[in-house]
Amino acid sequence: MKIDEILFTQTLSSLLKSNLTLQTSLQIASEIEGNKKNKQFCLNLYRKVSEGYKLSDVLSEYEKTFTPLYLSLIRLGEQSDTLIEVFEKLAAYLKTRKETKTKILQSLIYPILVLCSAVIIVMVIMLFVFPQLEQIFEAFSDNSLEVGFQVFTIRHNMLFIFFVIIGVVLLSIILAILHKINEKCAYVIDSLLLHLPLIKRYIVVNQTMDFAFAMKLMSTSHFPFLEALNQSLQVITNRRYKHGLNEVYKEIQNGNSISQSFDKQKILPSYLVTWIKISEVNGDVESVFTQIYEYYAVENSNIISGITVTVEPVFIIITGIILLFLISQFVIPIFKLLGAL
């Protein structure tokens, strides 16, 4: 069952803030949800909770939808009677993440269209236009050997362009599949991405923002630092970055200081490490991670804004380069052959 996690979280957050009980909120949610799957999901939750099951235990049956961090916070909210605050913060967090993903996808629509257009143009030329022109040249040219060689050169160049484009697409698909199904490959790919300057900046900012938000929620809910760190690893998607934080966790678990453990991992940004050291001095983990989260939320917003502003002109230039290459390798040679007839 595919559940709209954001819609469910926002609905529960709104209902619980109206001072309704969890059971009543789930019942109302099952009646007012516009999404049929969410409606059925809320009805199942209502029935289970009415039978005496804990919400966190029921949600754990849907582990593909809800992360371990999400479930841990719900479980803690039940224990500390702070479900209202937990749902409110989770709703805000999920909304921010969705907006970020939406902006990125919107900025990628144009380059994807450019790539698809380039592939279609080359295929049309290769399959329909070029065979017709080849027959014309052979029929009207006196020097068929020379024309045949020039035609071969043009065909070779077009095939090269075609296979380069197809190769890039296939490589991207293969890497995406390997990233999803193989943990070692995913680690290598994620590590390589962190060697690309602009991509590295976005990944580090985005991952640090998610980590800081998770730590802020966990510290607000009075989790011990080590347990909060372990749970917060669940929100990290880049394997290399996650490995760095996991090493921090092991270092602290082995008795090393928090600041030294963070300082050893060069993958972690200096701003994060500096504020971790501050938290170790003043003991105010919650406010420190709030500061870190707010800083990187602004940084993330600036990066997304920069991408949306610059991606279109960049790909207009790329489109121009592709067109110039097509003209130089196909259009100009064709006109030269036509002039020689």
Side-chain angles (χ1 to χ4, degrees):
M1 181 187 292
K2 183 66 176 177
I3 303 156
D4 190 332
E5 180 188 18
I6 299 176
L7 181 59
F8 166 73
T9 306
Q10 290 176 332
T11 302
L12 260 290
S13 174
S14 180
L15 291 172
L16 289 171
K17 281 193 292 184
S18 302
N19 294 321
L20 298 173
T21 64
L22 175 62
Q23 191 172 337
T24 304
S25 297
L26 290 171
Q27 182 183 16
I28 294 173
S30 67
E31 295 170 357
I32 65 174
E33 277 279 11
N35 185 305
K36 290 183 179 180
K37 291 179 179 178
N38 273 39
K39 184 187 287 288
Q40 184 60 45
F41 171 66
C42 290
L43 184 60
N44 291 339
L45 290 181
Y46 167 68
R47 288 171 180 169
K48 290 281 187 178
V49 171
S50 299
E51 291 171 7
Y53 290 93
K54 290 184 178 180
L55 178 63
S56 56
D57 293 335
V58 183
L59 289 177
S60 62
E61 298 174 10
Y62 302 87
E63 57 183 12
K64 289 185 178 180
T65 300
F66 301 100
T67 65
L69 176 68
Y70 191 107
L71 298 174
S72 296
L73 289 170
I74 296 298
R75 189 173 294 110
L76 186 67
E78 290 173 326
Q79 294 171 358
S80 59
D81 198 26
T82 57
L83 266 181
I84 297 174
E85 292 81 358
V86 168
F87 268 104
E88 185 178 3
K89 290 173 181 177
L90 281 172
Y93 171 67
L94 292 173
K95 181 182 177 182
T96 301
R97 289 200 69 179
K98 183 180 180 180
E99 288 173 350
T100 299
K101 288 181 180 179
T102 301
K103 288 179 180 178
I104 292 173
L105 288 174
Q106 288 174 344
S107 67
L108 290 176
I109 290 175
Y110 187 79
I112 290 172
L113 288 175
V114 169
L115 181 61
C116 292
S117 299
V119 173
I120 292 170
I121 290 170
V122 174
M123 288 182 66
V124 168
I125 291 173
M126 290 298 301
L127 297 176
F128 301 104
V129 179
F130 197 79
Q132 298 296 323
L133 291 173
E134 189 174 5
Q135 293 176 10
I136 294 171
F137 294 140
E138 290 176 353
F140 288 95
S141 176
D142 295 329
N143 193 348
S144 59
L145 186 63
E146 182 181 349
V147 170
F149 177 75
Q150 293 180 9
V151 168
F152 171 79
T153 303
I154 296 171
R155 185 191 291 115
H156 180 270
N157 291 336
M158 294 304 297
L159 282 172
F160 174 76
I161 298 170
F162 177 75
F163 283 118
V164 165
I165 295 173
I166 294 299
V168 170
V169 173
L170 288 177
L171 180 61
S172 300
I173 293 172
I174 291 169
L175 289 176
I177 293 172
L178 288 175
H179 188 276
K180 189 173 183 179
I181 65 174
N182 189 290
E183 194 66 26
K184 289 183 178 178
C185 288
Y187 180 86
V188 171
I189 293 168
D190 286 346
S191 298
L192 289 173
L193 289 174
L194 288 172
H195 283 85
L196 304 175
L198 294 177
I199 295 177
K200 176 183 178 180
R201 181 167 179 262
Y202 170 73
I203 291 174
V204 170
V205 167
N206 186 262
Q207 296 291 276
T208 307
M209 180 187 73
D210 286 350
F211 170 66
F213 182 83
M215 286 295 293
K216 182 181 76 164
L217 280 183
M218 304 297 274
S219 58
T220 301
S221 302
H222 308 295
F223 267 81
F225 186 89
L226 197 59
E227 187 177 352
L229 177 58
N230 187 37
Q231 291 291 337
S232 297
L233 290 173
Q234 306 301 327
V235 303
I236 305 301
T237 55
N238 183 279
R239 270 71 167 185
R240 176 65 186 89
Y241 194 98
K242 189 173 186 175
H243 175 75
L245 287 174
N246 194 47
E247 290 298 308
V248 170
Y249 173 76
K250 291 177 182 177
E251 290 276 344
I252 298 172
Q253 199 175 36
N254 291 333
N256 295 321
S257 72
I258 294 173
S259 58
Q260 287 179 348
S261 301
F262 273 89
D263 207 16
K264 284 182 181 179
Q265 299 302 318
K266 302 306 178 185
I267 189 66
L268 303 177
S270 58
Y271 187 90
L272 171 66
V273 176
T274 299
W275 278 92
I276 292 294
K277 292 177 180 178
I278 292 172
S279 73
E280 195 170 33
V281 173
N282 64 21
D284 192 355
V285 177
E286 181 184 345
S287 65
V288 163
F289 276 103
T290 299
Q291 169 66 28
I292 295 170
Y293 171 72
E294 290 175 352
Y295 174 82
Y296 281 103
V298 172
E299 283 289 293
N300 186 68
S301 179
N302 291 338
I303 290 174
I304 298 300
S305 298
I307 290 173
T308 55
V309 169
T310 60
V311 73
E312 187 170 347
V314 166
F315 277 93
I316 287 174
I317 294 172
I318 292 174
T319 305
I321 293 171
I322 293 173
L323 290 174
L324 284 173
F325 192 77
L326 287 173
I327 291 169
S328 65
Q329 298 299 318
F330 178 75
V331 178
I332 294 175
I334 289 295
F335 274 107
K336 285 182 178 179
L337 284 174
L338 287 171
L341 293 179

